[in-house]
C-alpha cells in the first residue's frame, strides 16, 4: 500500500476508482493505493504552480520511506474545466472501500 497525496497537503477530489465513477467526488488529502490499483482525481492548481505528488511512509514494509512520485507544473494560463462540478455522479463507495482518508469538510 502507498499513502498518496501532495507535498503541500492540499485537498483533492477522488472521482473514480477501479470500479468506475463515484456517485459524487470525495474530498481527501491522502489515499492509500495498492500496486496496480487506480484512482482518478481532480485537483486545483494556480497558474504556474509547481507541486509534487508523493508517497508517505506507512506501517508496512512496502510503505517504508517517503518518495516523490510526480512533479506537476501548471501552465501559466489556466482555463476552468467545464462540468467539473458534475464529475462522478454515477457510482459511490464509502471512504474505507476507496482507501482514502475521511472526507474533508
Amino acid at each position: 500500500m502507498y499513502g498518496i497525496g501532495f507535498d503541500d497537503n492540499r485537498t483533492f477530489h477522488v472521482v473514480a476508482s477501479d470500479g468506475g465513477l463515484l456517485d459524487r467526488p470525495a474530498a481527501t488529502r491522502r489515499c492509500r493505493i495498492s500496486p496496480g490499483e487506480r484512482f482518478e482525481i481532480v485537483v486545483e492548481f494556480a497558474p504556474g504552480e509547481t507541486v509534487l505528488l508523493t508517497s508517505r511512509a506507512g506501517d508496512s514494509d512496502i510503505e517504508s520511506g517517503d518518495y516523490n512520485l510526480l512533479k506537476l507544473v501548471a501552465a501559466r494560463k489556466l482555463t476552468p474545466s467545464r462540468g467539473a462540478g458534475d464529475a462522478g455522479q454515477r457510482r459511490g463507495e464509502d471512504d474505507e472501500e476507496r482507501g482514502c482518508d475521511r472526507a474533508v469538510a
Side-chain angles (χ1 to χ4, degrees):
M1 299 292 282
Y2 301 95
I4 305 298
F6 290 94
D7 63 334
D8 62 358
N9 205 34
R10 72 179 56 208
T11 298
F12 58 93
H13 294 85
V14 177
V15 296
S17 68
D18 285 331
L21 290 174
L22 307 181
D23 280 338
R24 64 188 176 283
T28 190
R29 289 191 179 94
R30 190 149 303 275
C31 281
R32 290 175 56 92
I33 189 169
S34 298
E37 187 177 14
R38 74 171 180 89
F39 288 111
E40 293 181 26
I41 66 170
V42 175
V43 61
E44 188 173 331
F45 296 102
E49 180 177 26
T50 299
V51 66
L52 291 171
L53 184 66
T54 64
S55 176
R56 301 291 166 111
D59 55 4
S60 69
D61 289 342
I62 197 169
E63 296 176 297
S64 61
D66 293 343
Y67 301 97
N68 293 336
L69 301 174
L70 180 66
K71 179 180 178 180
L72 298 153
V73 180
R76 290 179 190 241
K77 182 177 180 185
L78 300 175
T79 304
S81 298
R82 287 180 279 160
D86 299 329
Q89 294 300 314
R90 293 190 193 149
R91 187 176 161 279
E93 302 167 348
D94 66 33
D95 288 336
E96 279 187 60
E97 288 177 307
R98 269 193 311 276
C100 296
D101 294 340
R102 296 186 136 199
V104 176

